[in-house]
Amino acid sequence: MTRILITGGGSGTGADMARAFAAQGHEVVITGRDAAKLDAVAGGLIRAVQGDVSDEDQVRAVFDAAGPCQVVIANAGIAEAAPFGKVTMEHWNRIIAVNLTGVFLTFRQALSQMGPGGRMIAICSITGVRGAAYAAPYAASKHGVMGLVRSLALEVAKKDITVNAICPGYLDTDMTRRSIANIMDKTGRDRDAAVASLAGKNPQGRLIAPSEVTGTALWLASDAAASVNGQAIVLDGGESA
């Protein structure tokens, strides 16, 4: 049995991954800031440990409570949209703290207790490999994640540890639903039109299912992906082709 740690495991893609790894018989530790959401996912092989990935002491405490983990998935993230000229320092710092510093703290702590065969996976975004209008702080944070992933992958390659990122387009999750609500509020479009404005960016004309990210994570954690290292695996229906 392998122990898996997933940040942001209380909802959306994090919860989907937790359930899938547990279904394969692995012990899963999920963490996040919302205890109620974590508790709703926990049970059986899934254990919840509350913690904030942007806080160094809390990240250390989460790993102490979890025990040594051979697969660590940095999934926690937030998104906010605003025209560049209206981005405040509070907005910028909040996005960077969770999306980039959170991955740094998670992976640094993971590396301190991870042995050969370990896997570190960042759930990044298509904006980690291209820009995004009205989302400069978010795109900057995700580009930072890709720089971290590629750099760390080179450092740990000879330790038989891999570091990779999964970069999906718009996901069918609560985060995207909040974006849809924001589009409706700011533009007056109805829900169908707002959804279409996001799904239409994907050449397949759809949102990405959390299960597609989960399937990719399961593969990256397997022996079949032992030589996949420092990669941005894009799930976007061909949008970035």
Side-chain angles (χ1 to χ4, degrees), residues 47-107:
R47 177 162 52 101
V49 180
Q50 189 176 11
D52 182 345
V53 296
S54 67
D55 184 287
E56 183 176 15
D57 291 337
Q58 291 190 45
V59 171
R60 186 179 297 111
V62 166
F63 276 86
D64 287 345
C69 301
Q70 279 297 89
V71 177
V72 173
I73 304 177
N75 169 72
I78 58 175
E80 297 177 31
F84 187 74
K86 294 185 178 180
V87 173
T88 64
M89 281 304 301
E90 181 185 7
H91 177 172
W92 174 268
N93 289 333
R94 182 167 56 249
I95 295 290
I96 297 298
V98 175
N99 292 1
L100 180 54
T101 303
V103 177
F104 158 67
L105 292 174
T106 298
F107 281 178

Side-chain angles (χ1 to χ4, degrees), residues 11 17 19 23 25 32 44 49 91 98 100 102 122 130 133 136 151 174 176 180 184 190 193 213 215 222 232 236:
S11 62
M17 289 189 291
R19 294 183 178 111
V49 180
H91 177 172
V98 175
L100 180 54
R130 62 159 175 76
S151 298
D174 286 342
T176 298
I180 291 167
M184 294 169 64
D190 62 24
V213 177
S222 73
D236 69 352

Side-chain angles (χ1 to χ4, degrees), residues 6 10 24 29 32 36 76 85 112 114 118 123 135 141 145 150 163 199 201 205 232 238:
I6 303 172
Q24 288 194 348
V29 178
S112 72
M114 184 175 284
I123 306 304
S141 72
V145 168
R150 287 168 173 147
V163 189
K201 296 178 184 297

Side-chain angles (χ1 to χ4, degrees), residues 155-177:
E155 286 193 33
V156 301
K158 291 184 178 180
K159 297 180 180 180
D160 190 23
I161 294 173
T162 65
V163 189
N164 290 288
I166 302 172
C167 299
Y170 282 104
L171 288 159
D172 189 8
T173 61
D174 286 342
M175 183 181 290
T176 298
R177 285 186 275 277

Side-chain angles (χ1 to χ4, degrees), residues 3 20 35 48 63 66 102 121-122 153 175-176 189 201 204 210 218 225 232 239:
R3 183 179 295 123
F63 276 86
I121 303 168
M175 183 181 290
T176 298
R189 297 177 188 175
K201 296 178 184 297
Q204 295 176 334
L218 290 169
E239 180 183 347

Side-chain angles (χ1 to χ4, degrees), residues 4 17 20-21 24 26 71 73 117-121 123 162-167 210-235:
I4 320 288
M17 289 189 291
F21 276 104
Q24 288 194 348
H26 301 297
V71 177
I73 304 177
R119 302 282 192 269
M120 287 186 271
I121 303 168
I123 306 304
T162 65
V163 189
N164 290 288
I166 302 172
C167 299
S211 61
E212 296 176 76
V213 177
T214 294
T216 307
L218 290 169
W219 171 65
L220 284 174
S222 73
D223 291 342
S227 60
V228 180
N229 194 31
Q231 301 302 306
I233 300 176
V234 176
L235 308 177

Side-chain angles (χ1 to χ4, degrees), residues 133-146:
Y134 304 106
Y138 181 79
S141 72
K142 296 301 184 178
H143 273 72
V145 168
M146 284 313 311

